[in-house]
Amino acid sequence: MYAKTFLAALLAPIAVTAQLHELAVRAGLEYFGTALREGALNSDSQFTAILRDTREFGQIVPENGQKWESTQPQRGQFTYAQGDITANEAKRNGQLLRCHTLTWHSQLPSWVSSGSWTRSSLEAVIDSHMSNVMGHYKGQCYHWDVVNEAINDDGTWRDSVFYRVFGTDYLPISFKIAKKYDTQAKLYYNDYNLEYNQAKTNRAVEIVNIIKAAGAPIDGVGFQGHLIVGSTPSRANLATTLRRFTALGVEVAYTELDIRHSSLPASSSAQVTQGNDFANVVGSCLDVKGCVGVTVWSYTDKYSWVPSTFNGAGDALIYDSQFRKKAAWTSISSVLAAAATGAPASSSVVIPPASTTFSTVVASSTRASSTAQATPTQAPTEPEQTRWGQCGGNGWAGPTKCQSPYTCQVLNPWYSQCL
């Protein structure tokens, strides 16, 4: 589908085309992943083909199929048809499976949310739900989001049925039960708007401490990363926030990353800002020991939850609705490539427009510090690159001359572009 990059063997001892998961692993992360929109898998072959590219996505997570309303819509009646879509796909492709989610106030069937419960009766319901759902997926889930979104944006506790019955005790209760039914999966608390390091983040730190103080196991905190173009914290500030949690002895990850434009269509400058925002998020994970991976919440604008939730907003992902790699993809690949080869990475990346498609080239670390400058030639037979196309970069063996009036400009050590 995408233009192939042909490499000259003499340019580097090791030089390969690389996609995001490959780059993430080489950079020291465990994975780069995506959510799977269940309805798209069998109805959209283009969506499926990219999703199954394990060079691009090494981990997948169901967007809706494992939530309580999907797995136990009626008390005692369990169904896994939707959840199995992603689980089976992960098994088929050899991808990690992130399982999502167990104790959550939303997408909760009314028989739970509106029931009359005592502590013992609701704990029995939680236990039964986890026993069945986690038992069904036991041995398949690399992570489980055990508790999801327990905090309001102002840092107060969310008024869920679980909080009304247990207070904060439902947090360690949920993690203890989860550990009982899957001893191998990593257990996470997951929430949004933690990235801004304000009152909600303070409360999330308290959650980790509450769980640990009760003797319950918790392995990680998921930063959902539903952010806004131009309002995303800096790379340094994001890293500072992540370290608040790794200092508590848990790992962290970006679990539902998207960065939405507040209004559409997005200008070219807004697309550049979006790309830099993505670079800052991914870069902050690279900067923090204990940040293990990044998952985008679907990878294509065609299947994003954003437009239906935020009126007038959208284009929040790394592929456009036509499955073309966007500027955001390029910025992420550049930051990962920098870390993968040991060269310094910039948190501000100049990036191409949405229509650009190319393969990122990663050379061996012995060449990491060299910046490939465009070298125009006078030979009339040399092919010329079109506007926006790649014309240089570490290990690049394609055209280095641009069609007039464009010139080859070095954007970073791995990517020069005809501008």
Side-chain angles (χ1 to χ4, degrees):
M1 180 186 304
Y2 300 108
K4 301 292 185 181
T5 300
F6 296 94
L7 302 175
L10 296 179
L11 287 177
I14 303 172
V16 294
T17 58
Q19 301 292 90
L20 298 181
H21 174 66
E22 288 179 313
L23 290 169
V25 171
R26 293 178 189 183
L29 302 183
E30 294 180 4
Y31 58 85
F32 193 95
T34 181
L36 188 158
R37 174 69 62 89
E38 290 89 351
L41 188 66
N42 295 320
S43 62
D44 192 326
S45 60
Q46 198 167 8
F47 171 84
T48 303
I50 297 173
L51 178 92
R52 288 176 173 172
D53 184 352
T54 55
R55 301 168 305 152
E56 187 79 305
F57 302 117
Q59 178 230 51
I60 53 176
V61 55
E63 189 166 353
N64 291 296
Q66 291 177 328
K67 293 170 181 175
W68 200 313
E69 69 176 7
S70 297
T71 53
Q72 194 186 181
Q74 302 296 325
R75 188 170 186 177
Q77 297 180 11
F78 292 89
T79 177
Y80 302 106
Q82 289 299 302
D84 284 353
I85 291 172
T86 306
N88 291 340
E89 191 66 16
K91 188 182 302 181
R92 176 193 183 280
N93 303 331
Q95 293 162 313
L96 295 175
L97 175 65
R98 182 180 189 87
C99 293
H100 174 82
T101 181
L102 295 166
T103 305
W104 187 33
H105 72 281
S106 185
Q107 294 181 252
L108 189 65
S110 60
W111 70 266
V112 182
S113 60
S114 301
S116 298
W117 306 106
T118 63
R119 287 175 64 99
S120 61
S121 63
L122 186 55
E123 183 171 347
V125 165
I126 296 172
D127 190 288
S128 174
H129 184 74
M130 291 190 186
S131 171
N132 282 274
V133 176
M134 297 186 77
H136 180 79
Y137 293 108
K138 188 174 182 178
Q140 301 179 63
C141 302
Y142 188 52
H143 310 100
W144 259 112
D145 289 328
V146 177
V147 176
N148 203 48
E149 300 174 3
I151 318 167
N152 294 315
D153 279 344
D154 63 0
T156 59
W157 296 107
R158 190 178 296 279
D159 183 28
S160 68
V161 61
F162 306 107
Y163 183 74
R164 289 194 296 272
V165 172
F166 293 107
T168 61
D169 288 349
Y170 85 90
L171 299 164
I173 286 171
S174 295
F175 278 84
K176 285 179 179 178
I177 294 172
K179 189 66 171 181
K180 179 169 63 171
Y181 293 118
D182 193 335
T183 59
Q184 299 303 310
K186 292 185 177 183
L187 307 180
Y188 267 64
Y189 174 72
N190 192 55
D191 213 329
Y192 62 92
N193 285 352
L194 303 182
E195 300 80 12
Y196 299 99
N197 206 9
Q198 296 178 344
K200 188 168 188 176
T201 315
N202 296 339
R203 188 69 77 182
V205 168
E206 184 180 347
I207 283 178
V208 175
N209 288 328
I210 287 171
I211 293 167
K212 284 179 169 284
I218 178 171
D219 299 296
V221 172
F223 286 64
Q224 291 183 14
H226 296 301
L227 302 167
I228 302 170
V229 172
S231 298
T232 300
S234 69
R235 178 169 172 167
N237 287 345
L238 288 165
T240 295
T241 305
L242 296 176
R243 291 189 185 100
R244 292 189 66 186
F245 294 88
T246 57
L248 300 176
V250 296
E251 65 184 39
V252 291
Y254 289 107
T255 56
E256 303 182 19
L257 179 61
D258 51 37
I259 306 179
R260 63 186 181 271
H261 293 283
S262 297
S263 61
L264 299 175
S267 67
S268 58
S269 63
Q271 292 178 53
V272 169
T273 300
Q274 183 188 51
N276 288 332
D277 287 345
F278 269 103
N280 284 333
V281 174
V282 174
S284 71
C285 189
L286 295 170
D287 293 342
V288 175
K289 183 179 179 181
C291 187
V292 298
V294 176
T295 305
V296 288
W297 202 241
S298 188
Y299 67 87
T300 168
D301 293 334
K302 185 174 182 178
Y303 298 114
S304 171
W305 71 294
V306 169
S308 63
T309 306
F310 301 96
N311 187 37
D315 289 359
L317 295 166
I318 60 176
Y319 283 69
D320 69 14
S321 60
Q322 301 301 311
F323 297 100
R324 296 172 298 195
K325 293 174 180 176
K326 293 166 57 177
W329 187 98
T330 310
S331 69
I332 293 171
S333 68
S334 295
V335 169
L336 291 174
T341 58
S346 170
S347 62
S348 180
V349 183
V350 182
I351 43 188
S355 60
T356 302
T357 59
F358 61 91
S359 296
T360 298
V361 177
V362 180
S364 71
S365 59
T366 60
R367 297 181 60 87
S369 62
S370 64
T371 300
Q373 300 289 336
T375 309
T377 175
Q378 299 302 314
T381 58
E382 181 187 1
E384 295 182 346
Q385 185 61 277
T386 59
R387 186 186 186 191
W388 308 122
Q390 185 173 3
C391 55
N394 202 350
W396 172 250
T400 58
K401 184 177 181 179
C402 301
Q403 292 180 354
S404 179
Y406 308 109
T407 59
C408 191
Q409 299 183 26
V410 176
L411 305 184
N412 58 59
W414 302 271
Y415 191 68
S416 299
Q417 183 182 15
C418 290
L419 300 172

